[in-house]
Amino acid sequence: MVQSYLRHGPTEAFGLVCSSSSNSCYDGKLAYVPALEDVLVWDVKKGQMLAMWHETGHRAEVTYILRSPQRDVFAVGYADGSIRLWSASSGSVIATFNGHKKAVTALAFDETGTRLASGSQDTDLILWDVVGESGLYRLRGHRDQVTAIRFVRPVAESAPSTSTGTAPGYLLTTSKDTFLKLWDLQTQHCIQTVVAHRSEVWTMDVNPEHDLVFTGSGEGEMKVWKIDHEALAQGLRETGSGEVTKFLLPATTLSLASSHRVAQISFHRHKPFVAVQSHDKSVEIFRMRTEDEIKKKQARRRRRAKEKELEKKGKKKGAEAEADAQPDGEQDDKEVELADLFTPYLIVRVSGKVRSFDFGDEETVGKGNTHLFVALANNALEVYNIPPPTKTKDAAPEAARVYSVDLPGHRTDVRTLCLSSDDALLASASNGSLKIWNMKTTACIRTMDCGYAICSTFLPGDRQVAVGTKSGEILIYDLASSSLVDTIQAHSATVWSIHVRPDEGGLVSGSADKDVKFWEFERKPVNSDNPRSTSLLTLVHIRTLKMTDDVLSVRYSPNGKLLAVALLDSTVKVFYQDTLKFFLSLYGHKLPVLSMDISGDSKLIVTCSADKNVKIWGLDFGDCHKSLFAHDESVMQVAFERNDTREGDTKASHYFWTVGKDKLVKYWDGDKFENIQKLEGHHGEVWALAVSHHGKFVVTGSHDKSIRVWEKLDEPLFLEEERERELEALYETGLADSLNRTDAAIGSGAPGADPSAPASTDGAAEAGAVSKQTTETLMAGERIMEALELADGEIAAQREYTDAKSKGGLAEDVAPPPRHPVLAAYDLEPEAYVLRVVEKVPGTALYDALLVLPFGKVVSLMRHLNVWAQKEWNIVLTSRIIFFLLRTHHHQIVANRVMRTALIPLRRSLRAGLRRQKDTIGYNLAALRFIQRQTDAKRTAEFYEEEGAELTEEKVRERIAEGKKRKRVSIKA
């Protein structure tokens, strides 16, 4: 009988406020922030998480978040190059775009939110049609990661007012290759490239009027460029001297308070503010001055200059000096300089390193104030209030912190975890704080300050937690009062490990000062006058065991007889617990043992080490049963699974868990020496591990500041199947990668040429098609092929039957061939079944799935398309597929005579069908416009009737616009 195990599966990660993998969005009330592979929605005022956007099975980190002009839609870019459109109201994915080979680093929507531009580390730009859910084209030209994208709307007065089509517009992009590029989307070409800075361009933004571009570089310099819209309207032309017109002109350089790299520049959508982040812990705000202010300033400058000149010429006569200084007055209407237009307003200093910021764009703030939302790199969010500019000059404006969200997560790596004896509470500690979590709701219920925590344990009774720190103290916290009740200066160096004795009478601590110290618990009442008051445990030092080297881990055996001590010299020494007499030395690791655990029956000890190995030893004779190469990096912690004590006298489990710096959590069988399951999910090295006392789950804590719970499911797991599944996944990703190689087609036998090598992109056209094969598209293509085979077989069988019958070769009573069971089950015709399969392929994956079809299948699909067009089934999809197939297989179709029979009737029926659809849509559109005009006219008439004749048409339009906004009503009691 094959042994089966129980599978473990991930539940939600907690302990994250925001991760530093991506930027964040803020709308004045809600913040949309990255949390590794998820997006979290926080109500910043209440400090409450409202939603978590999580797609099951998707594990790539979020790298960019952008809100669409259609307020409900968010575009989220991921580290695997995919982009997902999320609906904020439903918290679900609307569409998935796959086109980039590496992480998405920049996204931009056009004004209407119908097109999305994305840039990536693979240096490509892709334009996506959001409505049609397809990639329009790929633009190549940058030599390094694209860092920012902005759509520029053409300010074209020349276009006739009646034309309904929108101009495709222009695209501005910056990259780490120091270039700023302007692309014309109509011709899909780059029309100007500017070497913007001497080093990488990290950020760029365009002002709301679309005439100024700000760029920031790695050297901390911020430049301003002007967009020449008149030149854009005329297009590319040669000047008299033979030069091509320039559309981007350098305007000025603005100086910043610090010379660190400029990480982000943002314009406020409605107010005259520009925010720039270049220093790690501050955001600089510039204010745009009004014309009057600049004129006043220029006048003041002139006055000062005059005064200085007068002082210099004080030796001359006053009258002559007056006459000399007179010509200055003529410069009144001097051109306003850009450097004068932007003035430093204030600096917002925040409590940690800034990852990104955003202005609150909703009008929810009130009183002319502006909110600046800052996401910090240390897992916290803050919102600052920027006061409106004042006329007076007494006090410089100060930004005040209004809200912050930091309690539901640690500021630094989670270094240690421990569970209470009933698995209801989890304690997690990092450098600076100890947090207690409710395991049912994953809510943080206590936060206490502590030093640099290294190890921790709940004390008997689950009322208190002991924490060992880097400075050598053992801190004891009381959970009820959430206070530090005792600080014991236990060791003179880091306390690496503490473990409670199995009889719960004391604990042992091991430290880098080469001592193992034994402590007894002593109960003392909180209130000495009242003997009945609750008592707290304190530690009393009873004896010390001196070792030859730093102690890294200490462990009692569950039967209470032995004590194991791991030393820095890579050995483990086992002593008798009562007499401290030496019993065994376990020797074999090449690097120090970082953690160890002893099985419930005290027969096995398992040790894990920085040499990436796990060794299983017998505790009778100290023999090494097996050495396993467990992880690709140091193995940080190991723990045996606990048996559920409530299930009676079951045998102690020999299954154990390991976590390592390779971000993996692994589950092992200690008797058969097999890896049962490999759990991926963390995005940083895993430091800490805690195993449930009832064997129901395991908790891990990591450098990515997240805490994850892996639950035991009822689903059985067989080792053979698990290995097969891993191999299959490996094969599928390899297959998709080989199909996506640009440098060498499959089967060309090109020796391991690197797809990311720049040589391959030089020869490629500047604009190209968007395609990327993934396992989903390959499977969709296979499903279409299967459906085509099934339908073709059915049609052939029916035709054979009718032919034989018409020739008279069959008797009248011979039954027709039975329908295919699948078609009979769905009760569909073969053509309808193929359509059903194709319709189920997601719109974004359809083209890539069609690319998988061999040409023979394309021919048979064409016949089905003909039937769909005649019967007017899903005309839009039919035409999309036909155009794509004709574009892709043009040469073969032209050369193939067979196709004529399918294409000629197709042209007839498709044209008729499309014309009918166009007529219907046109008719409906005209009707809707008519209804809109009617309602406008009706509302205008109502206003005129109410107010009498003194209203002009302009006033009425203003009133109507006001009516669309919400009114504030004052209610009298």
Side-chain angles (χ1 to χ4, degrees), residues 794-804:
E794 183 76 3
I795 293 169
Q798 291 288 352
R799 191 184 298 122
E800 205 176 305
Y801 172 72
T802 46
D803 286 358

Side-chain angles (χ1 to χ4, degrees), residues 643-714:
N643 271 49
D644 196 335
T645 43
R646 294 166 296 190
E647 285 176 7
D649 50 2
T650 47
K651 199 159 103 338
S653 167
H654 282 182
Y655 302 159
F656 62 91
W657 290 90
T658 59
V659 295
K661 280 192 178 178
D662 59 358
K663 310 175 190 174
L664 295 179
V665 182
K666 292 189 179 183
Y667 185 34
W668 304 84
D669 182 340
D671 291 329
K672 295 215 168 78
F673 318 126
E674 289 275 11
N675 177 12
I676 304 170
Q677 211 182 344
K678 186 166 77 178
L679 296 166
E680 296 166 320
H682 279 293
H683 294 265
E685 46 266 38
V686 188
W687 294 113
L689 167 74
V691 177
S692 145
H693 291 278
H694 301 313
K696 293 280 181 271
F697 58 84
V698 54
V699 191
T700 53
S702 157
H703 167 71
D704 62 20
K705 303 184 185 65
S706 72
I707 300 170
R708 287 169 196 261
V709 181
W710 313 85
E711 269 188 348
K712 186 178 274 188
L713 311 172
D714 294 335

Side-chain angles (χ1 to χ4, degrees), residues 460 500-507 519-522:
V500 176
R501 211 163 64 207
D503 62 5
E504 300 192 340
L507 62 78
W519 310 80
E520 287 282 342
F521 295 134
E522 191 178 273

Side-chain angles (χ1 to χ4, degrees), residues 50-272:
L50 300 182
M52 174 192 256
W53 300 349
H54 175 78
E55 189 175 0
T56 318
H58 186 246
R59 281 202 318 272
E61 274 188 286
V62 173
T63 53
Y64 204 91
I65 301 176
L66 178 68
R67 189 171 200 167
S68 160
Q70 298 161 358
R71 309 298 293 162
D72 185 46
V73 179
F74 283 79
V76 180
Y78 293 87
D80 61 357
S82 64
I83 301 163
R84 281 168 176 69
L85 294 181
W86 288 86
S87 156
S89 52
S90 66
S92 59
V93 178
I94 307 168
T96 305
F97 296 135
N98 277 307
H100 290 294
K101 294 187 184 67
K102 292 187 184 169
V104 176
T105 51
L107 292 171
F109 277 106
D110 66 355
E111 283 188 300
T112 52
T114 51
R115 287 176 304 169
L116 172 69
S118 64
S120 157
Q121 282 180 357
D122 63 11
T123 74
D124 287 356
L125 288 167
I126 298 182
L127 250 90
W128 305 92
D129 175 356
V130 175
V131 182
E133 296 188 1
S134 62
L136 297 171
Y137 44 85
R138 185 190 295 267
L139 297 170
R140 300 185 184 89
H142 281 296
R143 302 281 176 84
D144 204 340
Q145 170 183 326
V146 179
T147 51
I149 306 176
R150 291 288 179 275
F151 277 91
V152 178
R153 59 164 186 266
V155 186
E157 288 82 18
S158 55
S161 57
T162 51
S163 70
T164 50
T166 54
Y170 300 92
L171 201 62
L172 268 173
T173 60
T174 57
S175 159
K176 281 191 186 176
D177 59 9
T178 73
F179 294 151
L180 168 67
K181 280 178 178 279
L182 180 66
W183 306 80
D184 182 347
L185 298 182
Q186 199 159 10
T187 57
Q188 299 170 21
H189 279 297
C190 176
I191 51 174
Q192 192 182 348
T193 301
V194 187
V195 180
H197 294 268
R198 284 196 301 278
S199 64
E200 298 118 327
V201 185
W202 277 100
T203 176
M204 177 252 307
D205 202 8
V206 179
N207 70 341
E209 289 76 45
H210 283 250
D211 57 358
L212 295 180
V213 182
F214 278 45
T215 57
S217 81
E219 294 176 337
E221 138 182 87
M222 182 160 86
K223 284 190 183 173
V224 186
W225 310 81
K226 266 199 168 128
I227 302 175
D228 190 343
H229 278 287
E230 288 170 10
L232 272 181
Q234 292 166 359
L236 276 172
R237 302 212 173 159
E238 280 194 5
T239 53
S241 59
E243 284 185 359
V244 180
T245 45
K246 298 244 187 311
F247 309 108
L248 292 173
L249 308 166
T252 179
T253 302
L254 294 180
S255 58
L256 297 173
S258 72
S259 58
H260 299 271
R261 92 172 155 94
V262 182
Q264 192 183 345
I265 299 175
S266 285
F267 279 88
H268 194 290
R269 301 244 300 266
H270 322 291
K271 298 188 179 165

